[in-house]
Amino acid sequence: MRASEHLRTLLQTIIAELGFAWPAKATIEPPKDKRHGDLAANCALVLAKEADKNPRQLAEELAAKLRASSPSIAEVAVAGPGFLNVTFSPAFWQGKVAEVERTGERFGASALGVGKKAQVEFVSANPTGPLHIGHGRGAAVGDSLVRILRLAGYETEAEYYINDAGKQMHTLGRSVWLRARELAAAQNGAAALRPPFPEDCYQGEYIIDIARDMLAANPALTGLPEADGIDACYEYGMKVIFDGIRQDLADFQVTHDVWFSERGLVERGSVEKTLAMLRGTGHAFEEDGALWFNTTAFGDDKNRVLRKSDGSLTYFASDIAYHADKYARGFDLVIDVWGADHHGYIPRMRAAIAALGQQQSAFEVILVQLVNLLREGEQIAMSTRAGTFETLADVLQEVGTDAARFMFLSRKSDSKLDFDLALVKQRTMDNPVYYVQYAHARVEALHRRAAERGIDAAARAGNDADLALLVESAELDLLRLLDRFPQVAEDAAANLAPHFISYYLMELAGVLHHYYAAHQILDANNPALTSARLRLLRAVAQALKNGLALLGVSAPDSM
RNA sequence: GCGCAGUUAGCUCAGUUGGAUAGAGCGUUGGCCUCCGGAGCCAAAGGCCGCAAGUUCGAUUCUUGCACUGCGCGCCA
């Protein structure tokens, strides 16, 4: 059991004996200053008014009872205005190792989402070009959230929404079509006469590659009527680009369980059904020849169009139907990962969620800020249309999946990120993925070395090394950090914040490196102590590995 | 003009339900034994937590105003 839960249980009992309930504002947290003990509780401060007592006096009473309550409590001090500073016995902390051994890959699991279904929709890039670095950040955040929610007990699905019903798809078809005609004209020696490539088409080189492939397979392509040609180009282009996107995501260790097509949604009539429902509930109305949704009734700035006066549907209309579909599939928590430039879209989406009869808490949007791609401090311009961006594939090729993922996940999603290619390749603390991975590799190296030297008594005799030998302050620091991991993982899930994990891992790696430098682990003259230490380090390695797994970063045995 | 986010050490950033002397890395300066992996460790310097009021035992955290930065504000997606 976590130290904080253990202490809370003890205090709750004591407070109940005094005739009070556990105050809602009471907290139990590790104090900033280690000298104040392992955990600090403010319940005496919070309870003082209700109990009509001086906070310090009340704290003294609680402290006396707490000292006698359990052998796991080594010391209770009253400090400051009335904090209870609690120190646990070494035996309590040493028991953490066995807990990690018992739970293994599940160490860090919590009951936060047990019995609930969650869905994370992320990337969902239109298949009009390869993924770029910004998509990479969304992919890392979304995929990590899925892993974090799963460990927190949620039954979680990862989904990719394919916008294959909109105007951009037609633009893609037209872009490929026009490039194909250019290529065909060039073959006939008529290049000088061709019109300039339109600005509103996709400029990237990949469009030309696709057109060239199509022509090679079917030289008669450009003889088709224009509408048919564009359709063919669209179908083929989308397939090629999607294959590329799937490959990029696979290389980035990102998995989607469901690929959901907007076109399918439209063809099934789901959008029409949703619009009819909105009409039925009085939220949708006709005006100026268009169909509107009165989102202002739910706090939006202005009402929004669902069906334009030309009869075509807006993106918003199908998006409402899409979200209705999500809830129909039974998700209790629907999470959308969006680029931060879409934040203006949130109020109308929240309006839609409310109109669908869902609680606001059943819908969360994670905004992922822009990635500023640099090389040696110099900005690299990015624009899909101009074709001047750096693709995710190129970046991964250069810096590797682990470094890229850790960089994306070591920052709050909703803050801008400078991604310097030169920096992410460096093996310094500017780029802490190596610091954390090195900690894991270091532990593995120690075990290998111990086996070579034949001094790993614990490995030979099973996990019965005497943990009571772990009394150094650095050892207790490691044990305390192990205790915190389940709470960190749960907080990361509750706050949808993968960066909590990154920061925890950097701290754990730091304490491990400190310990390693301060103490000789392998000591042939003291096999009992060596075994105990190796057993502790095995648990630390497990925590590092589990944490890295939540980020989708590997935990190498050697580097 | 309106809305949303942000402003913490020279740089890049943590700090979520209000707590004790505000943290980390990088950079700078100075150290680390013929020893388990130096991708490491130890130490020092470095701060009006954007500014100003308010709320209370207590504010980087909550409220309001202001300044600056970014992003949005379409019958686009």
Side-chain angles (χ1 to χ4, degrees), chain A residues 58 155 163 190 317 324 330 338 343 356 391 395 397 416 451 487 517:
Chain A
L58 179 61
E155 185 187 330
N163 297 127
W338 294 351
H343 73 253
L356 291 173
T391 64
V395 171
Q397 177 78 32
K416 277 182 305 178
Q487 187 66 51

Side-chain angles (χ1 to χ4, degrees), chain A residues 132-134 370-375 377-382 388-391 395 408 417-421 424:
Chain A
H132 57 67
I133 184 84
L370 290 176
V371 178
N372 198 16
L373 191 62
L374 310 168
R375 190 186 293 281
E378 223 168 287
Q379 189 151 1
I380 300 172
M382 281 193 291
T388 56
F389 54 88
E390 195 90 11
T391 64
V395 171
F408 286 136
L417 172 67
D418 286 341
F419 193 100
D420 192 317
L421 291 164
V424 181

Side-chain angles (χ1 to χ4, degrees), chain A residues 105 312 441 550:
Chain A
E105 288 185 359
S312 63
L550 291 177

